Amino acid sequence: MKKILIISLSALILTACSEQEEYQETVLEQIKNDSDIQSYHLEPETVTKCIVELSSKKMPGIVPFDPMRKAAYKGYTKMISTKTSEKPEEILKELRESFGSAQGLSDAHRNYTSSYLECMSTVTNLELDEESTEETQE
C-alpha cells in the first residue's frame, strides 16, 4: 500500500513540475522579447524565476502537485501566450471557462501583472545596488 501511495505521489509531483516548467518557459520567452528587460540589461532568467515564484504564491492550490495548481499553471501559460496566438478570441473564451469566469481570468491577469511589475522593480533595484556598490569600491 505504501509503495502505491509513493508511486502515485511521485507521479503527481512530476506532472506538476512539468506544468510549472512549461509556465516558466512561456514567461521566459515573453521576457526575452521585452524591451524593458533589454533596456535595463536585466537577466531574463532572473526576472522569470521571480515572476514564476511570486505569481505561484497567489495561484489556487496549496502545493505544486495539487490538481488546482496544475490547472492554474496551464491557464496562466495559455493566458500569457494569448498575445502570440492566431485566434485570441477563442483562447479568451477557453480561459474564462478555465478560470471559472471573466472575473477569475481578470484576477489571474492581475496576479501575473503585479508579479511582473514587482519583479521588474526588485531586479532593477538589485542591479542598481550592485552598480553603486561596485562604484564605491573603485
Side-chain angles (χ1 to χ4, degrees), residues 6-129:
I6 291 172
I7 291 171
S8 299
L9 188 60
S10 298
L12 282 173
I13 290 171
L14 290 175
T15 304
C17 289
S18 69
E19 301 297 333
Q20 184 179 12
E21 287 174 9
E22 185 178 350
Y23 173 52
Q24 189 163 346
E25 288 173 17
T26 304
V27 172
L28 181 60
E29 286 303 312
Q30 182 190 32
I31 295 299
K32 281 182 178 178
N33 298 321
D34 191 313
S35 60
D36 289 336
I37 299 293
Q38 295 167 355
S39 298
Y40 291 110
H41 305 289
L42 302 176
E43 292 182 31
E45 293 80 12
T46 305
V47 178
T48 298
K49 184 177 178 184
C50 177
I51 291 170
V52 170
E53 286 178 10
L54 194 58
S55 63
S56 294
K57 290 179 182 178
K58 295 183 181 175
M59 286 182 185
I62 299 169
V63 290
F65 54 87
D66 187 326
M68 290 175 62
R69 178 67 58 94
K70 180 181 169 184
Y73 282 134
K74 283 183 178 181
Y76 275 69
T77 302
K78 192 178 281 191
M79 178 180 69
I80 294 167
S81 59
T82 302
K83 292 179 183 178
T84 59
S85 173
E86 295 176 10
K87 299 180 181 181
E89 300 86 21
E90 290 179 19
I91 292 180
L92 284 174
K93 183 179 177 183
E94 290 175 22
L95 286 170
R96 284 186 203 103
E97 292 172 8
S98 174
F99 287 107
S101 66
Q103 181 64 42
L105 175 57
S106 176
D107 292 342
H109 193 269
R110 188 177 311 108
N111 178 31
Y112 177 77
T113 303
S114 66
S115 298
Y116 172 86
L117 293 173
E118 190 170 333
C119 288
M120 283 292 294
S121 174
T122 301
V123 173
T124 302
N125 287 336
L126 288 173
E127 290 289 324
L128 291 173
D129 288 346

